[in-house]
Amino acid sequence: MSKKAISMTVNGRPVEAPAEPRTLLIHYLREQLDLTGPHIGCDTGHCGACTVDLDGQSVKSCMVFAIQAEGAEVTTIEGLAQPDGRLHALQEAFREHHGLQCGYCTPGMITRAYRLLQENPDPSEQEIRYGISGNLCRCTGYQNIVRAIQAAAQNLNSVPEAAE
Amino acid sequence: MNEQTPIAERAEKLQGLGCARKRVEDARFTQGKGNYVDDIKLNGMLFGDFVRSPYGHARIKGIDKEAALAVPGVLAVITAEDLIPLNLHYMPTLAGDVQAVLAHEKVLFQSQEVAFVVATDRYAAADGVELVEVDYEELPVVVDAAKAMAADAPLLREDIKDKDEGAHGPRKHHNHIFYWDAGDLEGTQRALSQAEVVAEESIAYQRVHPCPLETCGCVASMDKVNGKLTVWGTFQAPHAVRTVASLISNIPEHNIRIVSPDIGGGFGNKVGVYPGYICAIVASIVTGQPVKWIEDRIENLSSTAFARDYHMTGKIAATKEGKITGLQCHVLADHGAFDACADPTKFPAGFFHICTGSYDIPVAYVGVDGVYTNKAPGGVAYRCSFRVTEASYFIERMIDVLARKLEMDPAELRMKNFIAREQFPYTSALGWEYDSGNYHTAMAKAMETVGYQALRTEQAANREAFVRGETRSLMGIGVAFFTEIVGAGPVKNCDILGLGMFDSCEIRVHPTGSAIARLGTISQGQGHATTFAQILASEIGLPADRITVEEGDTDTAPYGLGTYGSRSTPVAGAATAMAGRKIRAKAQMIAAYLLEVHDDDLEWEVDRFQVKGNPERFKAMSEIAFAAYNQAIPGIEPGLEAVSYYDPPNMTYPFGAYICVVDVDVDTGVTDIRRFYALDDCGTRINPMVIEGQVHGGLTEALAIAMGQEIRYDEIGNVQGASLMDFFLPTAVETPTWETDHTVTPSPHHPIGAKGVGESPNVGGVPAFSNAVVDAFAHLGLTHTQMPHDHWRVWSVAQDLGLHG
Ligand code: FES
Ligand code: FES
């Protein structure tokens, strides 16, 4: 199948790479741009391992064609830390509260939580549980993930400028 | 150096045993910098994908590759015919059977691998798969183990039809694999016939799947210039894979390098050797280019490594007062189309004969019939140690069934029959030697913490309110007390394909007081890089932060049998401690030389050797390490390294008491886990934070199994529910908040007393959920109902009991 150059902004950087019309965004990110943070855990849009941020919304990038993201702003796990390398509060909190084990769900989970906290900066436990219910984790039982997100929210709320 | 620093402070700095040390793995995982197999990209890498059988049982009359080969990017289509000259169309399984790599003459289960399409990228490979034409003739299908044993059942395995002797003794039917038994049949029958009370039940443990979030896959790269084959893949046992690969390919073992990169969860799914690995290797040899194979989720759930599918019939004998006098169990074990169970060779039913559980049962007998059906092969230990989950589910359900019959509280019945603390080491009727336990204390603590009596009172009130029509919800209380058996295992009786199940650790201490330890195991999320460094920190007195732990590369790691069956801590953890002790022994001699005293005049304290009675004179481990490399010490070789291969003298026996409270809506079948309390005793606790995380994860998997997971087949062999659309993986919403607790009963034979924990919550969790659901209806006469307790099944129970008016 013929390829066409597709361009978008990924993690603040303009990019352009060839892809077929049927190429999924997840494959475009992982294979064309070598951004292997987002993972693939299923083929039905259920696991959320591939979650990225697309124009300010959490999106399962296995459910979107790369060409649909033409011109869009995409953020992946690789784009969450500050340019100087300082980690995002969520990245710190996941480590601090043991919110990951094998790490396979982690990039999608953190990227989803990142958007959740912008939608709702002070979520209750129940709101967090619903808010991440599109992301499956097989290792942690979610309890420490919830704690990590709560801790990050608290941290971000106490230092407002750290929110972005 | 740091003379003044108090002992406690120095010990804390090491972050050794018992420290809730943060994980070193997390920095890369939280930044998307993990390196999982699908992240690997090599120059010229090709992609392989399978043509799979749409039928459960069919003869292959022809395969037409032409249209597929015409697809741009498709380079090859490999079928069994191509593998026959290499003698690779079948591969040995871990259970002494053979498994078709690519179907030869017929297919035996839906999704079986029929052809391997190799292309320049995954999309082209998928296009090729669509266009391979296979001509099938359907054959009668058997998906039920009992029906497979009928006299007129269709013959499944034509390739072994003339073999009446299998890997584990005589086969009594053309679909029979083995009969395996343990215990005293006559004595048990006598106990049953003389018993005051006998309870019987048929208990099925449905077919499920470990379903780690990352599926299986590999990248095979044959370097034709130097003859070296490298395979990166999702391997829970990389060294075993290397040996097997060498044996079947005739490539000498030193020319094979197996690497397990980061693994996205295993839970037993990644122990076996799958056709995808073999096909990728063959394709790389044929094309001279690296070949990647990554299964998708539907392929994962329908072809690699199911678990359970055990159909158990039990009888338990007791006195009227509730003293158990005997136990009998027969299992019909559905192994699917090939016997690819991952059990130690001498145990085709794994350690199922731990099924006397935590109870002092004087006599018992268990027999297991392994059977072929038109279902995917596997039979792996899904977050458990070789069929221990099945055993624990069986006995913990049987105890409840007996309690009902005796009209006794199930917790009280357990208390009455526990092996007492002073009976350890305890030899069970089926031959295991339990190392240590303190069951009464653990159970009492659990009951006290949850307020067991108050819960029962509340339940009685709930039942009365239900009768009065004030509520449509019934409350169930599930109690389970499990004993695990992990850490396979002693080489004298545990091997896989003749490889003894020891494990290993090699340590190099660097001159400036840091170290690297390499192990034969491989983490899939358990955090070995964190916890093994802690074991070592306590043994050699260097901070855990200065110890690198490396696993998974057969070119550098010492030989080991890998990570599954909770064996890493009991076996490799022990090897780590023992290797650390060798380092310390040499360090003592060096310190003695430096301090000009005799070896025996020194004592070890946290991070140093000091002169007895004169603690100001000491040498810290970091100084000793430096001396080991820069001083000529008479009679002592330079350097500071050690290696230990640890063959455990016995298994370890973790245990625990779990209590679950569930509210069941009888009109919808919806179950609400109101409370779940888990007390685990895994002996010495290396890292409480990691242990707690393991328990949370294991309980969530147990919840999934008990309440919803099932790989079901319809009559004609279609696998149902093999995608995440249907296969139940709980989200954060269905998952309750877990309450964890512990007692500590160290293992007497393990160098640091640790027993292993990763799988306990699955072993104890499943019966706790199941017992709770049954308990909700127990007063209405329900003694047992089959898992999974999804809403429909629970609703049906209520319907059958006439609760819907
Ligand atoms: S890969 Fe599972 S939802 Fe995208
Ligand atoms: S940490 Fe393994 S899937 Fe979430």
Side-chain angles (χ1 to χ4, degrees):
Chain A
M1 218 172 267
S2 68
K3 296 191 179 180
K4 166 186 182 315
I6 298 175
S7 51
M8 59 187 84
T9 306
V10 180
N11 298 329
R13 198 167 51 91
V15 297
E16 186 179 282
E20 296 178 19
R22 62 175 174 173
T23 301
L24 298 172
L25 180 57
I26 183 71
H27 288 138
Y28 178 82
L29 294 169
R30 291 177 48 84
E31 287 168 14
Q32 299 298 322
L33 306 183
D34 289 330
L35 291 170
T36 54
H39 296 137
I40 300 169
C42 71
D43 26 37
T44 49
H46 285 82
C47 76
C50 60
T51 303
V52 302
D53 207 68
L54 181 94
D55 286 338
Q57 274 191 315
S58 291
V59 154
K60 291 178 174 173
S61 61
C62 71
M63 294 281 114
V64 178
F65 293 115
I67 199 152
Q68 291 175 282
E70 170 93 46
E73 293 264 353
V74 176
T75 306
T76 68
I77 185 75
E78 287 93 340
L80 289 190
Q82 304 282 332
D84 66 2
R86 259 185 309 137
L87 295 187
H88 188 275
L90 278 161
Q91 293 171 310
E92 296 283 7
F94 267 64
R95 172 179 152 87
E96 188 62 31
H97 295 277
H98 191 28
L100 63 148
Q101 291 180 28
C102 79
Y104 201 75
C105 71
T106 312
M109 195 68 88
I110 292 182
T111 311
R112 169 61 200 139
Y114 163 80
R115 179 53 50 195
L116 173 68
L117 292 186
Q118 321 222 353
E119 294 160 354
N120 180 355
D122 191 20
S124 67
E125 172 176 347
Q126 224 28 36
E127 285 167 338
I128 293 175
R129 285 182 179 269
Y130 275 94
I132 60 168
S133 62
N135 291 68
L136 298 173
C137 174
R138 291 290 287 143
C139 301
T140 65
Y142 305 104
Q143 197 155 321
N144 290 341
I145 291 180
V146 173
R147 279 172 54 207
I149 297 173
Q150 282 171 322
Q154 230 175 37
N155 189 355
L156 290 169
N157 291 337
S158 62
V159 220
E161 65 275 18
E164 263 311 298
Chain B
M1 190 208 266
N2 307 341
E3 250 160 285
Q4 316 310 343
T5 325
I7 300 183
E9 206 174 296
R10 278 190 279 126
E12 202 184 304
K13 258 182 62 191
L14 294 182
Q15 296 200 299
L17 284 185
C19 169
R21 180 180 185 226
K22 303 291 179 245
R23 301 196 332 158
V24 297
E25 295 87 346
D26 294 357
R28 67 176 187 279
F29 294 149
T30 54
Q31 296 181 66
K33 298 291 184 219
N35 184 35
Y36 302 88
V37 65
D38 200 11
D39 300 344
I40 293 170
K41 204 172 170 183
L42 302 176
N43 272 340
M45 190 172 75
L46 306 174
F47 204 93
D49 200 353
F50 279 113
V51 175
R52 293 177 180 273
S53 168
Y55 297 112
H57 194 192
R59 200 163 299 287
I60 298 175
K61 297 173 67 186
I63 301 179
D64 184 351
K65 312 173 175 181
E66 209 169 310
L69 285 169
V71 172
V74 171
L75 302 176
V77 177
I78 300 171
T79 64
E81 295 301 324
D82 303 309
L83 297 181
I84 290 170
L86 306 168
N87 202 20
L88 281 177
H89 56 310
Y90 279 96
M91 62 179 182
T93 70
L94 296 178
D97 194 359
V98 292
Q99 175 177 349
V101 173
L102 289 170
H104 177 50
E105 290 172 355
K106 68 178 196 170
V107 288
L108 284 161
F109 64 95
Q110 189 180 56
S111 274
Q112 186 176 344
E113 300 81 359
V114 175
F116 192 66
V117 176
V118 185
T120 47
D121 70 273
R122 63 178 91 212
Y123 287 76
D127 288 342
V129 165
E130 287 302 314
L131 293 175
V132 174
E133 285 287 338
V134 186
D135 188 10
Y136 295 101
E137 175 192 314
E138 284 184 70
L139 295 171
V141 170
V142 199
V143 294
D144 178 305
K147 289 185 187 154
M149 289 295 284
D152 59 349
L155 165 67
L156 303 188
R157 290 289 299 276
E158 287 170 4
D159 60 312
I160 54 165
K161 67 174 187 298
D162 300 325
K163 285 177 84 178
D164 25 303
E165 192 74 20
H168 309 287
R171 301 170 60 211
K172 54 190 180 200
H173 179 279
H174 52 264
N175 293 329
H176 187 243
I177 310 173
F178 64 83
Y179 183 70
W180 183 88
D181 68 347
D184 170 2
L185 177 59
E186 247 172 68
T188 306
Q189 282 173 341
R190 206 172 317 117
L192 285 164
S193 65
Q194 293 169 356
E196 293 172 353
V197 182
V198 175
E200 298 182 32
E201 195 55 74
S202 287
I203 296 172
Y205 199 141
Q206 78 274 20
R207 178 174 276 238
V208 292
H209 194 283
C211 195
L213 201 58
E214 177 201 39
T215 60
C216 300
C218 71
V219 177
S221 179
M222 181 72 199
D223 180 337
K224 288 201 169 164
V225 176
N226 59 27
K228 184 142 184 166
L229 171 71
T230 306
V231 189
W232 293 263
T234 45
F235 307 125
Q236 286 182 234
H239 281 98
V241 171
R242 185 183 73 189
T243 301
V244 173
S246 173
L247 290 173
I248 64 182
S249 68
N250 287 323
I251 300 173
E253 208 167 346
H254 72 282
N255 268 341
I256 302 180
R257 176 178 170 221
I258 304 291
V259 186
S260 297
D262 287 326
I263 295 185
F267 316 124
N269 194 178
K270 294 166 180 171
V271 174
V273 172
Y274 299 121
Y277 304 153
I278 309 284
C279 288
I281 292 171
V282 170
S284 178
I285 294 173
V286 171
T287 61
Q289 282 168 269
V291 176
K292 179 186 273 191
W293 167 72
I294 305 287
E295 59 177 4
D296 66 28
R297 176 59 61 195
I298 293 171
E299 294 178 294
N300 172 253
L301 287 172
S302 62
S303 72
T304 47
F306 80 90
R308 325 297 192 234
D309 219 343
Y310 252 34
H311 305 266
M312 307 171 281
T313 318
K315 290 185 185 157
I316 188 163
T319 65
K320 284 203 288 281
E321 291 72 39
K323 186 80 195 113
I324 300 171
T325 54
L327 178 75
Q328 184 167 355
C329 179
H330 178 262
V331 183
L332 202 52
D334 187 336
H335 284 218
F338 305 97
D339 187 13
C341 286
D343 290 315
T345 307
K346 294 192 189 76
F347 299 97
F351 303 157
F352 184 77
H353 50 311
I354 190 77
C355 65
T356 53
S358 315
Y359 312 103
D360 184 15
I361 300 180
V363 62
Y365 177 76
V366 23
V368 181
D369 276 302
V371 175
Y372 292 122
T373 58
N374 289 120
K375 291 151 88 172
V380 300
Y382 168 11
R383 205 165 185 150
C384 83
S385 181
F386 314 117
R387 304 291 187 184
V388 175
T389 314
E390 290 89 327
S392 163
Y393 184 63
F394 169 74
I395 183 68
E396 288 307 290
R397 279 274 55 244
M398 286 306 290
I399 295 282
D400 266 32
V401 171
L402 176 64
R404 215 61 70 206
K405 187 141 193 175
L406 294 164
E407 292 177 6
M408 190 179 277
D409 182 276
E412 186 192 334
L413 180 60
R414 285 178 170 82
M415 281 290 209
K416 195 168 261 183
N417 287 286
F418 279 148
I419 300 160
R421 185 183 182 169
E422 51 287 353
Q423 286 175 278
F424 292 93
Y426 170 85
T427 304
S428 77
L430 295 174
W432 296 110
E433 189 187 301
Y434 292 34
D435 59 350
S436 63
N438 194 348
Y439 300 164
H440 288 97
T441 306
M443 188 73 193
K445 185 174 180 187
M447 290 170 71
E448 161 98 29
T449 313
V450 300
Y452 185 74
Q453 292 317 331
L455 286 172
R456 286 290 177 202
T457 310
E458 184 190 342
Q459 184 184 42
N462 161 259
R463 287 172 175 175
E464 284 165 22
F466 187 88
V467 172
R468 291 194 302 269
E470 291 162 19
T471 175
R472 295 296 289 159
S473 168
L474 286 173
M475 173 179 172
I477 304 166
V479 177
F481 195 100
F482 66 92
T483 295
E484 255 265 68
I485 169 170
V486 304
V491 173
K492 62 179 186 290
N493 55 17
C494 286
D495 68 273
I496 287 190
L497 290 179
L499 304 169
M501 296 180 75
F502 57 82
D503 230 290
S504 56
C505 174
E506 179 195 287
I507 302 169
R508 293 184 192 172
V509 178
H510 308 315
T512 52
S514 61
I516 182 165
R518 295 193 169 102
L519 291 99
T521 44
I522 175 72
S523 184
Q524 310 123 40
Q526 296 91 337
H528 291 169
T530 306
T531 52
F532 286 148
Q534 291 182 252
I535 296 177
L536 208 47
S538 288
E539 292 293 340
I540 66 174
L542 294 175
D545 283 342
R546 303 190 67 168
I547 301 169
T548 299
V549 173
E550 225 181 65
E551 303 174 300
D553 184 338
T554 58
D555 265 9
T556 54
Y559 206 100
L561 267 269
T563 296
Y564 41 87
S566 273
R567 61 187 300 280
S568 294
T569 296
V571 191
T576 306
M578 298 312 271
R581 286 172 198 182
K582 289 185 186 174
I583 296 275
R584 212 160 79 185
K586 182 166 179 183
Q588 183 164 8
M589 296 192 282
I590 297 171
Y593 171 81
L594 297 173
L595 293 163
E596 296 174 340
V597 294
H598 191 271
D599 293 2
D600 296 341
D601 296 332
L602 292 175
E603 59 187 4
W604 175 254
E605 193 218 53
V606 183
D607 57 355
R608 61 187 57 180
F609 278 106
Q610 62 192 21
V611 177
K612 286 179 187 162
N614 190 2
E616 301 81 55
R617 295 197 60 218
F618 69 89
K619 286 288 167 193
M621 189 52 117
S622 51
E623 296 172 88
I624 298 170
F626 198 66
Y629 289 92
N630 80 345
Q631 293 210 16
I633 303 172
I636 300 181
E637 282 180 15
L640 195 52
E641 301 188 0
V643 55
S644 170
Y645 281 76
Y646 187 76
D647 176 12
N650 190 3
M651 314 272 184
T652 61
Y653 297 75
F655 59 91
Y658 291 0
I659 297 175
C660 170
V661 184
V662 65
D663 294 308
V664 180
D665 182 325
V666 300
D667 295 320
T668 61
V670 172
T671 48
D672 178 30
I673 308 294
R674 187 205 302 184
R675 191 164 179 197
F676 197 104
Y677 167 90
L679 178 148
D680 272 283
D681 192 319
C682 59
T684 303
R685 292 159 63 84
I686 300 168
N687 182 326
M689 177 192 83
V690 167
I691 291 173
E692 191 175 89
Q694 289 277 313
V695 174
H696 289 172
L699 289 173
T700 307
E701 288 190 349
L703 170 81
I705 293 170
M707 308 312 270
Q709 284 188 350
E710 181 170 26
I711 300 284
R712 218 152 31 87
Y713 284 79
D714 71 10
E715 286 286 292
I716 56 166
N718 293 307
V719 53
Q720 317 259 285
S723 83
L724 294 194
M725 202 125 50
D726 308 291
F727 190 70
F728 177 52
L729 299 184
T731 72
V733 174
E734 293 92 37
T735 307
T737 299
W738 309 110
E739 293 172 55
T740 56
D741 202 349
H742 63 274
T743 54
V744 177
T745 311
S747 167
H749 62 77
H750 187 279
I752 59 169
K755 289 187 171 187
V757 75
E759 299 167 341
S760 295
N762 200 327
V763 172
V766 176
F769 289 113
S770 208
N771 285 349
V773 171
V774 177
D775 186 68
F777 298 102
H779 60 301
L780 304 168
L782 186 72
T783 51
H784 180 70
T785 179
Q786 303 295 10
M787 284 193 292
H789 308 298
D790 53 27
H791 302 166
W792 179 78
R793 277 196 184 77
V794 173
W795 179 89
S796 306
V797 167
Q799 172 79 1
D800 293 346
L801 290 170
L803 297 182
H804 297 147

